[in-house]
Amino acid sequence: MYYPEPMGMLIAELRRLPGIGPRTAQRLAFHILDLPQEEANRLVAAIVEAREKVSHCSICGNLATEDPCTLCNNPRRDQSLICVVQDPRDVVAMERTHEYKGLYHVLGGVISPMEGIGPNELRVKELITRLQDGSVKEIVLATDLNAEGEVTATYLARLIKPLGIKTTRLAHGLPVGGDLEYADQVTLAKALEGRREL
Amino acid sequence: MYYPEPMGMLIAELRRLPGIGPRTAQRLAFHILDLPQEEANRLVAAIVEAREKVSHCSICGNLATEDPCTLCNNPRRDQSLICVVQDPRDVVAMERTHEYKGLYHVLGGVISPMEGIGPNELRVKELITRLQDGSVKEIVLATDLNAEGEVTATYLARLIKPLGIKTTRLAHGLPVGGDLEYADQVTLAKALEGRREL
């Protein structure tokens, strides 16, 4: 009410972003208003281009500009190993360990009855399809090590084991209840090394 | 490096914003990528429009979509009283008190030899020009109550008092060393009420 309307609109839009409170929104709005034109253009272009060019790989579900993505398309990756994760941030966390050489499968979430998310809301069917030709020998279930992540891993293990595929889970080197995304590289690498069969 | 390039670019641009670290930038980028098209358009439009439509009032220097701004142009505001502040956020803070009925003058900063900011980098000349016709009877110096704010207030007081204009400073009801912007309304109103002549 004390700001010119377009300024108020900008603050309101920024406040809709996650973790941005009124003070931060105001600070960001002032900063954006004061940016040199070139930098403002770059910010806007980055938003527009990321949305236009980035979509999901039809095989693994990871973020990608190509389809299939560069990970799925890389012949040097171990095609017999698939790591199942909740979302693309977890792929980044796994890649940072430099220990994992297989493929990925991004579920797009975890089973959560509270939020009405069941297997049908996740990319479970797509995962099972990938296992049909017999080339995959092991599935690493790398969902978060909290209740929902464990439920999802257990559900998937029951689905996959009958197909005769080895099903492993990241070791509890990670802090229990922790988010995969926030794990440090060494701990995550250790957890991968100590993975156990379900 | 583990993200598709447009995604990495977006994260990089977001990281350039004040107070946005790598984690937050990543979270925001994912959020922006997942926004419905309509909401993404609104965010981009808000940035572009705020930059296009909001500029500075040529009289008071406050943010405005019109020139002169609605505050300068309001005949019900006390034209004999000018409150000098560092930046537009401080105008908002003053207006929130509902106690101040005069005009404003936004300096655009404070004197800071460390950062090479002297009176010539601020809107000091414009302030003196506004005092020439004799209609202004009092100047409230409402720069922040820290070292630089005090130096700026003292400098302006020395410049203005010889013109025969009453020069006041916000009372130290505000915590010393505090930012005007973060003051609560009651404290700021008290500080205004107890303003003292320099």
Side-chain angles (χ1 to χ4, degrees):
Chain A
M1 62 200 273
Y2 302 113
Y3 287 115
E5 206 209 328
M7 183 76 179
M9 299 274 280
L10 176 55
I11 294 174
E13 286 304 321
L14 293 170
R15 278 200 63 178
R16 299 170 67 93
L17 298 173
I20 305 292
R23 283 272 166 221
T24 309
Q26 185 180 288
R27 185 158 38 90
L28 289 177
F30 272 98
H31 180 86
I32 287 170
L33 219 61
D34 285 342
L35 282 178
Q37 188 59 45
E38 189 201 342
E39 285 185 39
N41 291 348
R42 239 171 34 214
L43 173 63
V44 167
I47 295 174
V48 172
E49 284 197 14
R51 289 183 53 90
E52 270 175 9
K53 294 190 183 159
V54 180
S55 57
H56 293 272
C57 171
S58 60
I59 298 175
C60 71
N62 194 12
L63 293 178
T65 50
E66 292 153 60
D67 193 12
C69 72
T70 49
L71 282 166
C72 285
N73 237 351
N74 185 345
R76 294 207 315 243
R77 308 283 307 200
D78 183 349
Q79 311 285 319
S80 72
L81 186 61
I82 292 182
C83 177
V84 177
V85 294
Q86 298 179 197
D87 75 49
R89 271 165 281 206
D90 300 328
V91 173
V92 175
M94 288 297 292
E95 285 298 288
R96 263 198 230 108
T97 68
H98 299 290
E99 293 287 326
Y100 182 73
K101 302 298 177 202
L103 303 175
Y104 290 96
H105 193 83
V106 179
L107 290 176
V110 272
I111 295 172
S112 169
M114 298 282 284
E115 297 179 35
I117 299 172
N120 290 335
E121 278 70 50
L122 306 174
R123 298 183 69 258
V124 171
K125 214 186 307 166
E126 289 86 343
L127 175 61
I128 303 304
T129 306
R130 290 178 73 180
L131 307 181
Q132 298 309 318
D133 70 358
S135 60
V136 176
K137 303 301 177 205
E138 178 182 348
I139 299 278
V140 183
L141 295 169
T143 50
D144 286 344
L145 296 170
N146 52 23
E148 291 169 347
E150 292 288 359
V151 165
T152 307
T154 307
Y155 172 85
L156 291 175
R158 271 195 214 136
L159 217 59
I160 296 164
K161 288 186 85 169
L163 304 175
I165 296 166
K166 190 176 168 190
T167 310
T168 55
R169 180 90 173 103
L170 289 182
H172 266 275
L174 293 172
V176 176
D179 260 20
L180 199 70
E181 184 191 346
Y182 295 103
D184 67 270
Q185 309 173 16
V186 181
T187 310
L188 192 51
K190 261 203 158 44
L192 178 68
E193 184 199 331
R195 65 187 185 265
R196 60 193 162 80
E197 191 160 0
L198 289 188
Chain B
M1 61 201 275
Y2 302 114
Y3 288 114
E5 206 209 328
M7 183 77 180
M9 298 274 279
L10 177 55
I11 293 173
E13 285 304 321
L14 292 171
R15 278 201 64 178
R16 299 170 66 95
L17 298 173
I20 305 293
R23 283 274 166 218
T24 310
Q26 185 180 288
R27 186 158 37 92
L28 289 176
F30 272 98
H31 180 86
I32 287 170
L33 218 62
D34 285 342
L35 281 179
Q37 188 59 46
E38 188 201 343
E39 284 184 41
N41 292 347
R42 245 179 22 221
L43 174 64
V44 167
I47 294 173
V48 172
E49 285 198 14
R51 290 184 53 91
E52 270 176 8
K53 293 188 182 161
V54 179
S55 58
H56 293 272
C57 171
S58 60
I59 299 175
C60 72
N62 194 11
L63 293 177
T65 49
E66 292 153 59
D67 193 11
C69 71
T70 49
L71 282 167
C72 286
N73 236 353
N74 184 347
R76 295 207 315 243
R77 308 282 309 199
D78 183 349
Q79 311 284 319
S80 72
L81 187 61
I82 291 181
C83 177
V84 177
V85 293
Q86 297 179 198
D87 75 49
R89 273 165 280 207
D90 300 328
V91 173
V92 176
M94 288 297 291
E95 286 297 289
R96 264 198 229 110
T97 69
H98 299 292
E99 293 287 325
Y100 182 72
K101 302 298 177 200
L103 304 175
Y104 290 96
H105 193 83
V106 178
L107 290 175
V110 273
I111 294 171
S112 169
M114 297 282 283
E115 297 178 36
I117 299 173
N120 291 337
E121 278 70 49
L122 305 174
R123 298 183 68 260
V124 171
K125 215 186 306 166
E126 289 85 343
L127 175 61
I128 303 304
T129 306
R130 289 177 74 180
L131 307 180
Q132 297 308 320
D133 70 358
S135 60
V136 176
K137 303 301 177 203
E138 180 181 348
I139 299 277
V140 184
L141 296 168
T143 50
D144 286 345
L145 296 171
N146 53 23
E148 291 168 347
E150 293 287 359
V151 165
T152 307
T154 308
Y155 173 84
L156 291 175
R158 271 194 214 137
L159 216 60
I160 296 163
K161 288 187 83 169
L163 305 175
I165 296 166
K166 190 176 168 189
T167 310
T168 56
R169 181 92 174 101
L170 289 183
H172 266 273
L174 293 172
V176 175
D179 260 21
L180 200 69
E181 183 191 347
Y182 295 102
D184 66 272
Q185 309 173 15
V186 181
T187 310
L188 192 52
K190 263 204 161 36
L192 178 67
E193 184 199 332
R195 66 188 185 263
R196 61 194 162 79
E197 191 160 2
L198 289 186

